[in-house]
Amino acid sequence: MSEGTSVVMESSENGTDLSQDDIGTIEETPDNTILSRQTSVNLVPFIGQRFVSQEAAYEFYCSFAKQCGFSIRRHRTRGKDGVGRGVTRRDFTCHRGGYPQLKPSEDGKMQRNRKSSRCGCQAYLRIVKRADFDLPEWRVTGFSNIHNHELLKPQQVRLLPAYCTISSDDKSRICMFAKAGMSVRQMLRLLELEKGVKLGCLPFTEIDVRNLLQSFRNVDRDSDAIDLITMCKKLKDENPYFKYDFKIDCHNRLEHIAWSYASSAQLYEAFGDAVIFDTTHRLDAYGMLLGIWLGVDNHGMTCFFGCVLLQDENMHSFSWALKTFLGFMKGKAPQTILTDHNMWLKDAIAIEMPETKHAFCIWHIIAKFSDWFSILLGSRYDDWKDEFHRLYNMEFVEDFEGGWREMVNKYGFHANKHIISLYALRSFWALSFLRRYFFAGMMGTCQSESINAFIQRFMSAQSQLDNFVEQVADIVDFNDRVGAKQKMQRKLLKVSLKTGSPIESHAATLLTPYAFSKLQEELVLAPQYASLLVDEGCFQVRHHTQIDGGCNVIWIPCQEHISCSCHQFEFSGILCRHVLRVLSTNNCFHIPDRYLPTRWRSVNSSCSNPFRTATTREHSERIQLLESMASTLVTESIETEERLDVACEQMAMVLSRIKDLSRSTHSMNEIAYNCPSDSLILPEVEDADGIVQSFTIGNPHDSITLGKLKERRPRDGIDTIRRRRHCPGPCCGHFGHDGSTCSLIGDDDLHGDALGYL
């Protein structure tokens, strides 16, 4: 048994006592330990260590485990992606943690007792999500390095399955070697020479390469490509709003193909001002590059715009993809587009989208730093990364330029090709050059994690090409359902007013909960700033601890024009604390409409949906939504007598109003959905002093569904499953109609549709 360090109890993320399940062992840390976002593999994890994401913590612990002689796996979590606050706690354990469990086979017999490496090892690392000072981060709250088994030597640990991984570049090389007719052993020897490693020291084995080649042989590229095109044609025939296009090369083989679903065009019309085009993944079995267009809606949820598969990675391929995407979206180009650090894509965007501001996603650049600078800088690598992050977040171009020169001189980077390239492309990644453009908050850490999690679902769906389109549809559909449920949960929650400002209460009635929370954070911090009148209509706003400097705010009341030198409104669509401070000190009690963009407002998307049809499925989903709201109303109302009285009073008014409306004479299949002229009333809005106020917000339906997720859901008119609809009435057992309109009464032909199937 390996020796460990003495242990102590850990505390919960909320400062309360932990349950027995939450109690673990941690390693004592020195008193002079400084909390940091270290990524150096030479450090041991410690309590309070911070990481920008789950993946950063996983990579750090994985590097530590490899040095110690074991591998890790993801264990239990608290929370769930897309539900509530999402995942708030994650445990990583030793690969030998836990015990094997026998599972009964289909015939009821127990499986044979196969040997397992699990022996109940208690080594683990626990991280908890926090959001201090508006910076979501993950902190280590539990750590134990006590193992009940022998740790492996360096030559042995690399053979563990967790470390026998083949990178995308190596897969491409192996595929090229296979086409050239090389044997597996020749491939391995050549890769060893290219990487400069000793014989047999590659991170993967001969068996791994043979398995990879076998996976390539199991696909029929020509046949699968034909099936893919056939599937797209079928989807187009079933729904004219499904769009696709493809290109055939000179050998009559599929070269490129792109597609977009009917709902994607509607989402792009509303939220296509800022787009991410991710091209960092491939379908290895087919050797095709996967490109995904994504965005963020008014609730901060990731939305899907389109997908493309490219045979080659060059400027002509990217130009075709961009041109095709613009054709899907009726020629409307986004205001801004985020991509990875790809020069071919950069040139293609400059040609196809000349009016669009192009920026590089900083996370893709930072991911390359370890290869570029870790060996070169050694122990100074972490200090340099902190310096780079400081420069990246600079507000003003002048400060960035001066800081960059100091950094180059300090670390001797005058002739470094990577630093020279980064500086030449600084207008594509440094925030001081990008704050004048709208990116919908997609550059933030939290939003990047959400988008990356969405993309990972695509990668887990890789299979044969003809199934890929349907699998992507299912993933997008599931994301829409989870997002709709989360939106409804947010709408049913009380809106807590923290400042008591009329500006805050006014914004709460117009903005979505996501956008309002961002504005509210600025409102809370605004009183910490001093507003000084410099000239007529010009104010200097700086933090109360600053003696000089600050931001310049221009406020012209007669024109309702206001702007700030920090450009936060232009960057995110949310007013900054400097502007809000000036408004409050100058007796402005509401934000001008132009500074509460429609993009972030609680608008009823069903009103502007050009593809929306009055279908039975939509009617049933609205009924499910009403049932969910009614259930929540009862649950919340019975807690106190006061709540119950208010609920009864409001429901009586709603029922009276509904009874006054005329009844529809159409059958259920002919129901026409109109946008409601009035809004519904939130139960309560509570301010910081506990005063309950009533607010009116937009219709909470917003084309969302809260029904239980089935195995598959019809999308864009494609019936992937057949679902029953039960009728509460006595006529036939199906809902959506009564005896007067029942198709079974008087119909002797009891076919499938007449039996209530969709």
Side-chain angles (χ1 to χ4, degrees):
M1 179 183 297
S2 63
E3 295 181 357
T5 312
S6 59
V7 298
V8 296
M9 301 291 288
E10 63 178 322
S11 61
S12 70
E13 56 268 32
N14 298 322
T16 59
D17 294 335
L18 292 170
S19 64
Q20 186 64 30
D21 178 62
D22 292 330
I23 294 176
T25 57
I26 61 177
E27 188 168 274
E28 292 181 347
T29 57
D31 294 336
N32 59 354
T33 300
I34 300 175
L35 298 183
S36 63
R37 293 187 291 186
Q38 300 280 5
T39 56
S40 174
V41 298
N42 295 320
L43 295 180
V44 177
F46 57 88
I47 303 306
Q49 188 174 10
R50 303 174 184 178
F51 298 96
V52 296
S53 65
Q54 295 183 59
E55 291 303 319
Y58 178 81
E59 291 174 5
F60 177 87
Y61 191 37
C62 190
S63 299
F64 169 78
K66 189 174 183 180
Q67 285 190 341
C68 292
F70 67 99
S71 66
I72 63 173
R73 58 185 173 86
R74 292 175 174 87
H75 192 40
R76 64 169 64 94
T77 63
R78 175 180 293 170
K80 194 174 183 181
D81 284 330
V83 179
R85 294 186 299 160
V87 176
T88 58
R89 194 189 76 185
R90 166 77 73 177
D91 286 5
F92 305 114
T93 62
C94 174
H95 73 289
R96 301 193 67 177
Y99 296 95
Q101 295 181 354
L102 294 178
K103 297 180 181 179
S105 58
E106 294 181 358
D107 56 2
K109 297 181 180 180
M110 300 300 292
Q111 294 181 346
R112 61 188 177 91
N113 187 16
R114 296 177 177 175
K115 189 175 181 180
S116 173
S117 64
R118 296 194 180 186
C119 60
C121 181
Q122 297 296 317
Y124 80 103
L125 177 77
R126 174 171 297 161
I127 56 175
V128 170
K129 187 176 183 180
R130 306 222 181 173
D132 294 346
F133 306 107
D134 189 28
L135 181 63
E137 62 184 9
W138 294 81
R139 294 186 185 178
V140 176
T141 60
F143 170 62
S144 171
N145 199 32
I146 301 177
H147 300 264
N148 63 355
H149 56 89
E150 293 295 332
L151 298 178
L152 301 178
K153 297 178 181 179
Q155 291 300 320
Q156 298 172 324
V157 71
R158 69 180 186 83
L159 298 177
L160 290 173
Y163 303 126
C164 290
T165 57
I166 306 178
S167 66
S168 299
D169 292 337
D170 289 339
K171 287 180 180 179
S172 300
R173 299 284 291 169
I174 291 171
C175 184
M176 182 181 67
F177 295 157
K179 291 179 180 178
M182 295 176 61
S183 68
V184 173
R185 293 185 179 180
Q186 289 174 330
M187 296 179 193
L188 292 173
R189 184 55 183 154
L190 184 54
L191 288 172
E192 289 169 350
L193 293 173
E194 289 180 346
K195 296 177 179 293
V197 299
K198 295 180 181 179
L199 185 66
C201 290
L202 287 171
F204 44 86
T205 64
E206 179 179 339
I207 295 178
D208 298 320
V209 176
R210 293 188 184 279
N211 290 337
L212 177 66
L213 293 175
Q214 185 61 39
S215 69
F216 290 161
R217 297 189 186 103
N218 287 338
V219 299
D220 186 346
R221 299 191 179 189
D222 294 338
S223 177
D224 288 351
I226 294 174
D227 292 340
L228 174 62
I229 297 173
T230 303
M231 174 59 65
C232 289
K233 185 178 184 303
K234 176 185 176 184
L235 297 178
K236 180 70 174 179
D237 293 340
E238 293 175 346
N239 191 325
Y241 296 113
F242 175 84
K243 299 178 181 179
Y244 77 102
D245 195 6
F246 62 92
K247 182 180 179 182
I248 304 297
D249 62 15
C250 58
H251 300 291
N252 203 29
R253 293 182 176 178
L254 179 65
E255 186 174 5
H256 314 310
I257 185 168
W259 66 92
S260 178
Y261 304 102
S263 61
S264 301
Q266 177 200 353
L267 289 170
Y268 185 82
E269 184 66 27
F271 310 114
D273 42 12
V275 172
I276 286 182
F277 185 32
D278 185 276
T279 58
T280 58
H281 299 88
R282 302 183 69 90
L283 297 185
D284 295 312
Y286 298 90
M288 302 188 79
L289 180 77
L290 173 64
I292 307 172
W293 285 280
L294 301 170
V296 175
D297 65 10
N298 55 341
H299 290 270
M301 307 296 293
T302 303
C303 48
F304 175 86
F305 295 144
C307 202
V308 66
L309 291 173
L310 302 174
Q311 190 67 51
D312 304 308
E313 187 175 0
N314 53 45
M315 193 192 72
H316 297 293
S317 298
F318 287 129
S319 293
W320 181 91
L322 295 170
K323 190 179 300 182
T324 302
F325 178 73
L326 290 178
F328 291 165
M329 304 305 168
K330 302 178 181 179
K332 178 184 176 182
Q335 298 177 22
T336 57
I337 186 170
L338 269 173
T339 71
D340 61 304
H341 190 206
N342 189 308
M343 294 298 101
W344 287 319
L345 183 54
K346 170 182 171 293
D347 295 338
I349 291 175
I351 296 173
E352 303 299 336
M353 299 179 177
E355 302 299 324
T356 299
K357 175 58 182 175
H358 179 204
F360 295 146
C361 182
I362 190 63
W363 306 110
H364 294 306
I365 296 177
I366 292 176
K368 302 175 182 178
F369 283 175
S370 179
D371 295 333
W372 290 354
F373 304 113
S374 59
I375 298 178
L376 180 64
L377 293 173
S379 60
R380 299 193 300 166
Y381 173 65
D382 291 319
D383 294 334
W384 176 82
K385 278 190 68 176
D386 292 339
E387 178 69 13
F388 180 86
H389 278 289
R390 187 182 68 84
L391 292 172
Y392 166 72
N393 287 290
M394 287 282 189
E395 286 191 3
F396 304 107
V397 174
E398 297 78 9
D399 295 338
F400 173 85
E401 297 285 357
W404 188 268
R405 287 191 295 268
E406 293 177 3
M407 182 269 292
V408 170
N409 294 331
K410 179 179 179 180
Y411 292 94
F413 279 153
H414 300 87
N416 186 280
K417 63 178 182 179
H418 300 300
I419 292 294
I420 294 173
S421 175
L422 285 174
Y423 182 73
L425 298 171
R426 61 193 182 279
S427 62
F428 287 85
W429 58 266
L431 290 185
S432 54
F433 293 89
L434 300 175
R435 294 187 189 277
R436 299 174 185 271
Y437 304 93
F438 179 72
F439 284 94
M442 293 191 299
M443 286 188 167
T445 303
C446 185
Q447 204 61 255
S448 298
E449 284 187 359
S450 175
I451 292 172
N452 184 64
F454 184 80
I455 293 174
Q456 290 306 315
R457 298 194 189 107
F458 281 75
M459 302 314 300
S460 64
Q462 291 194 34
S463 66
Q464 294 182 333
L465 279 181
D466 58 330
N467 295 326
F468 188 69
V469 177
E470 284 192 314
Q471 289 176 335
V472 170
D474 290 340
I475 294 169
V476 174
D477 187 66
F478 174 75
N479 184 73
D480 292 344
R481 281 176 168 264
V482 171
K485 185 174 183 179
Q486 193 167 4
K487 292 173 190 177
M488 177 50 62
Q489 289 174 345
R490 290 176 180 175
K491 286 187 175 184
L492 295 178
L493 291 176
K494 295 178 183 178
V495 179
S496 178
L497 303 183
K498 299 180 180 179
T499 67
S501 166
I503 290 178
E504 183 183 22
S505 58
H506 172 247
T509 64
L510 298 176
L511 300 178
T512 63
Y514 169 80
F516 175 70
S517 67
K518 298 296 182 183
L519 180 68
Q520 193 177 52
E521 291 168 2
E522 298 297 318
L523 276 168
V524 170
L525 295 174
Q528 300 179 15
Y529 289 76
S531 174
L532 307 174
L533 181 63
V534 178
D535 197 355
E536 183 178 357
C538 181
F539 299 83
Q540 190 175 54
V541 182
R542 57 173 174 259
H543 196 266
H544 70 93
T545 59
Q546 293 179 318
I547 300 177
D548 54 10
C551 295
N552 296 322
V553 176
I554 306 298
W555 168 229
I556 306 176
C558 60
Q559 301 178 9
E560 290 192 333
H561 169 79
I562 192 164
S563 62
C564 181
S565 59
C566 75
H567 300 292
Q568 177 170 314
F569 178 76
E570 292 86 344
F571 187 64
S572 65
I574 302 296
L575 285 178
C576 63
R577 62 201 67 173
H578 316 112
V579 165
L580 295 171
R581 180 60 175 167
V582 170
L583 291 177
S584 62
T585 55
N586 285 272
N587 300 324
C588 183
F589 300 112
H590 74 280
I591 298 175
D593 284 345
R594 72 170 74 173
Y595 299 107
L596 293 173
T598 304
R599 198 215 191 280
W600 294 125
R601 295 197 183 193
S602 297
V603 294
N604 187 357
S605 59
S606 63
C607 296
S608 57
N609 185 353
F611 310 128
R612 188 175 181 91
T613 58
T615 64
T616 304
R617 178 176 62 83
E618 290 170 348
H619 183 73
S620 65
E621 290 172 352
R622 291 175 68 133
I623 292 177
Q624 292 176 359
L625 173 62
L626 182 60
E627 291 174 346
S628 176
M629 293 175 63
S631 176
T632 304
L633 175 66
V634 173
T635 303
E636 294 289 335
S637 301
I638 62 177
E639 291 189 4
T640 64
E641 288 294 331
E642 183 181 4
R643 285 189 173 195
L644 189 59
D645 292 340
V646 172
C648 291
E649 180 182 353
Q650 294 292 331
M651 286 303 299
M653 295 172 57
V654 172
L655 287 174
S656 176
R657 178 180 167 192
I658 290 175
K659 290 178 179 179
D660 291 340
L661 299 176
S662 59
R663 294 178 178 270
S664 174
T665 58
H666 299 282
S667 66
M668 190 191 60
N669 289 334
E670 297 174 344
I671 294 177
Y673 301 119
N674 297 317
C675 298
S677 58
D678 295 318
S679 55
L680 298 180
I681 299 177
L682 271 179
E684 294 172 347
V685 177
E686 184 174 349
D687 64 13
D689 298 326
I691 301 174
V692 178
Q693 304 177 4
S694 295
F695 278 93
T696 303
I697 63 172
N699 184 3
H701 289 182
D702 284 348
S703 301
I704 62 180
T705 65
L706 292 177
K708 183 177 180 181
L709 182 62
K710 302 285 197 299
E711 293 179 2
R712 294 281 300 277
R713 173 189 170 198
R715 178 177 181 80
D716 300 337
I718 308 167
D719 289 340
T720 55
I721 60 171
R722 304 174 74 87
R723 298 186 294 177
R724 296 178 183 270
R725 297 179 294 113
H726 299 287
C727 176
C731 60
C732 66
H734 306 294
F735 77 75
H737 61 278
D738 53 24
S740 62
T741 58
C742 182
S743 59
L744 291 184
I745 299 178
D747 188 355
D748 296 330
D749 185 14
L750 301 182
H751 50 79
D753 292 337
L755 289 174
Y757 288 87
L758 282 177

